Amino acid sequence: MDTNLVLEGFKFMGLGMGTVFLFLIVLILMMNLMSKIINKFFPEVKPNASASTVNNQNNNKKIVAAITAAIKHHKEG
Amino acid sequence: MKFLVIKLLALMLFSFSVLYASAPTVEVSLTHMEETYETKPFSEMVGGFLKSTGINAFINPDPDELDAHGKEISDFHKSWGRILMILLTFFLFWLAIRKGFEPLLLLPIAFGGLLANIPIAGIAGDDGFLGVIYNMGLANEMFPILIFMGVGAMTDFGPLLSNPKTALLGGAAQFGIFGTLVGAVALTQMGFADFTLQQASAISIIGGADGPTSIFIATKLAPELLGAIAVASYSYMAMVPIIQPPIMRALTTEAERKIKMTTLRHVSRLEKLVFPILVLTLAILVLPAATPLVGAFMFGNFLKESGVVERLNDTLQNSLINTVTIFLGLGVGSKLAAEEFLVPDTMFIMALGIVAFSVGTASGVIMAKIMNMFPGHKVNPLIGSAGVSAVPMAARVSNKVGMEADRTNMLLMHAMGPNVAGVIGSAVAAGVLISLFI
């Protein structure tokens, strides 16, 4: 039996690299699609971060108001 | 009720008496054993003992000694071969400890090799403990799969998800595998070596630069070459910082090395959680033969990204992978027995291994240059070399060479994308090779 092993090797290469690239190209397309869907329909919610900053700002305003009121009261009194 | 207690007591007494009655017979048989021992003159005892020493076994090898597979071993492999192999394991110790070459795996492998070359003790045989370890987890491809779970738990697909097209670089680097396959069969065709297609495939997977994948394929397709393939794979992986930079510099211009890449976008947790399932689904549809590797890898990654099983994630990343690494190393070391390692094939495997790494590196860089011919964000070709898996060493090399050209250019995270894609790519390539031989 005199098979050309090198030719056989190149056949393996064609099939192997073809599959690897096909797999990765499909994976890239799917990744892009998945990211689009997720970012459109399930955007990452950051309720803690935004809510806390809003709360903090409100708190700060209240504190500032209280302090100014206290100072005013002190000066007047 | 009383009767029952009395009956029980009686039964116990009876059984005790039976036990005691049988005890003397045991003693009798022991004395029989002792009687077969014949007294010998002291000189003969010393002579017999000297025959069982290692020195004698090295100088006058036992002609009837058979290897782990019950085959004859040549006298060279039983005497000088073993001494050479023991010296080689000392060299591996030096590489691992002094040079820091993948010590986590090279040390257990080398020590396993040392133990496997001890005459008379037969540690690597089927009844020796190395043989038991080998049969327990390597002969059935269990350990590489367990390692893959741990690697999956350690992998962050974030950089790949934020720049998906870099996955192509991880694909191109697999040319290292198939280029080497052609090289191995060409050597056979020209009459230098004598590799079957299975053996050539097992050797070529060194180019995947992925230890567990190499071991998985080698045990499946050519277990007789496992020792050489594993040693080549791990030592070249450790030499990535030496092998890659010259190739990367030769193939790129100064301007290309200075290319700055756009910053990576933030990847949401849900994307990271869906990704392993996505890859596994693709593998199921396209290449079920690759699912043992891909499945274990994605299992580990899924546990990590789920964020609710911190304990299991921690076990996979630490205790499990460490335990399995010890066994895997020792098991592979058992294949460093002189009669299996000191053959001409090993030399060819070492040579082909370095070709595999070089071709993989070069094709990754070239692929990046091809991608830059198309419109879109430019890719720094230096990250192409990271496509040869070897996580995270190859990515660090990309970063280092990039910093040499421009100190402000941080390529590490960009290189992690092709790096992890390379792991998927070599698992797919491994699946193709397996599917061709089933």
Side-chain angles (χ1 to χ4, degrees):
Chain A
M1 209 176 79
D2 196 33
T3 49
N4 189 345
L5 279 174
V6 179
L7 187 70
E8 212 63 21
F10 275 110
K11 279 195 231 163
F12 275 43
M13 184 190 249
L15 181 71
M17 288 314 289
T19 317
V20 170
F21 272 117
L22 178 79
F23 191 95
L24 289 174
I25 288 170
V26 176
L27 184 65
I28 291 170
L29 296 177
M30 296 300 290
M31 266 195 277
N32 284 327
L33 186 69
M34 175 190 83
S35 296
K36 267 191 194 132
I37 292 174
I38 286 181
N39 287 325
K40 190 167 185 192
F41 296 105
F42 310 96
E44 201 163 47
V45 275
K46 293 176 188 163
N48 293 336
S50 54
S52 65
T53 49
V54 170
N55 278 346
N56 279 346
Q57 280 171 356
N58 284 347
N59 283 346
N60 285 346
K61 276 179 190 165
K62 277 179 190 166
I63 291 167
V64 171
I67 292 172
T68 37
I71 292 171
K72 210 175 180 183
H73 183 76
H74 180 75
K75 278 181 181 169
E76 280 172 4
Chain B
M1 197 61 199
K2 254 186 186 173
F3 272 107
L4 203 71
V5 174
I6 290 167
K7 265 186 188 170
L8 267 174
L9 274 174
L11 198 74
M12 277 168 77
L13 273 175
F14 178 71
S15 53
F16 269 116
S17 62
V18 168
L19 266 177
Y20 273 100
S22 62
T25 55
V26 174
E27 271 167 32
V28 169
S29 63
L30 270 178
T31 48
H32 269 296
M33 290 280 286
E34 273 164 24
E35 269 169 13
T36 57
Y37 179 83
E38 289 165 31
T39 51
K40 276 185 258 174
F42 187 64
S43 58
E44 220 172 281
M45 275 171 74
V46 172
F49 176 74
L50 284 181
K51 269 186 191 158
S52 72
T53 56
I55 300 169
N56 182 58
F58 280 128
I59 299 169
N60 305 311
D62 176 8
D64 301 325
E65 193 185 342
L66 300 174
D67 74 355
H69 306 289
K71 274 185 273 173
E72 293 262 341
I73 315 174
S74 73
D75 278 349
F76 167 76
H77 284 134
K78 274 184 270 187
S79 52
W80 284 108
R82 281 185 176 147
I83 295 170
L84 267 176
M85 282 309 293
I86 289 175
L87 292 177
L88 179 78
T89 61
F90 290 169
F91 174 67
L92 291 178
F93 290 158
W94 179 77
L95 281 182
I97 298 169
R98 209 54 205 268
K99 295 276 166 184
F101 276 20
E102 298 275 326
L104 284 178
L105 258 146
L106 219 47
L107 265 191
I109 289 178
F111 213 99
L114 174 60
L115 295 177
N117 282 293
I118 298 173
I120 296 175
I123 299 176
D126 272 344
D127 300 324
F129 78 90
L130 286 187
V132 172
I133 289 176
Y134 181 83
N135 288 329
M136 177 170 80
L138 274 160
N140 52 19
E141 298 133 20
M142 188 67 205
F143 290 157
I145 294 283
L146 289 177
I147 297 266
F148 238 61
M149 289 182 192
V151 175
M154 288 190 211
T155 303
D156 178 13
F157 283 110
L160 180 63
L161 279 163
S162 73
N163 195 0
K165 70 174 179 184
T166 53
L168 285 179
L169 302 171
Q174 309 314 320
F175 264 116
I177 295 181
F178 294 100
T180 310
L181 203 163
V182 173
V185 288
L187 276 179
T188 307
Q189 194 81 349
M190 287 186 281
F192 291 115
D194 188 25
F195 294 125
T196 62
L197 266 176
Q198 274 94 331
Q199 287 175 325
S201 306
I203 297 165
S204 68
I205 207 81
I206 298 175
D210 198 336
T213 312
S214 306
I215 292 172
F216 184 82
I217 295 293
T219 41
K220 226 178 176 74
L221 298 180
E224 66 280 5
L225 301 178
L226 176 64
I229 289 175
V231 169
S233 186
Y234 281 107
S235 38
Y236 289 143
M237 239 188 299
M239 277 157 61
V240 155
I242 305 167
I243 301 173
Q244 286 195 324
I247 301 170
M248 292 155 72
R249 285 192 206 106
L251 289 173
T252 51
T253 62
E254 184 76 22
E256 281 173 326
R257 268 174 269 160
K258 282 186 174 158
I259 293 179
K260 286 218 169 141
M261 295 180 64
T262 45
T263 41
L264 296 170
R265 72 170 174 89
H266 173 75
V267 177
S268 77
R269 205 187 131 211
L270 191 59
E271 281 174 83
K272 286 187 181 176
L273 187 61
V274 174
F275 182 77
I277 304 295
L278 185 74
V279 178
L280 188 56
T281 312
L282 261 182
I284 294 168
L285 295 177
V286 180
L287 197 63
T291 45
L293 288 169
V294 176
F297 191 68
M298 294 309 161
F299 166 66
N301 192 251
F302 192 65
L303 286 194
K304 173 187 171 231
E305 300 298 353
S306 74
V308 290
V309 284
E310 207 33 58
R311 282 163 40 190
L312 304 188
N313 177 28
D314 179 61
T315 305
L316 279 186
Q317 287 194 27
N318 299 295
S319 20
L320 181 75
I321 201 167
N322 290 344
T323 313
V324 178
T325 300
I326 294 173
F327 286 143
L328 182 82
L330 287 175
V332 169
S334 77
K335 292 284 146 185
L336 291 186
E339 67 270 15
E340 294 189 57
F341 194 84
L342 285 183
V343 289
D345 286 355
T346 303
M347 204 179 66
F348 289 117
I349 292 171
M350 289 289 166
L352 287 166
I354 200 156
V355 171
F357 266 69
S358 312
V359 173
T361 305
S363 39
V365 175
I366 292 167
M367 185 71 195
K369 294 178 79 152
I370 295 173
M371 280 166 68
N372 276 348
M373 290 174 189
F374 291 92
H377 291 298
K378 292 283 174 261
V379 174
N380 189 319
L382 291 179
I383 69 167
S385 64
V388 296
S389 334
V391 184
M393 187 93 79
R396 284 201 204 122
V397 171
S398 298
N399 190 50
K400 196 174 143 253
V401 180
M403 295 265 272
E404 281 168 14
D406 179 356
R407 285 194 59 80
T408 59
N409 203 1
M410 299 292 285
L411 290 173
L412 186 65
M413 285 324 274
H414 296 285
M416 284 311 286
N419 212 184
V420 294
V423 180
I424 300 176
S426 43
V428 172
V432 174
L433 291 176
I434 294 170
S435 71
L436 282 169
F437 290 111
I438 289 175

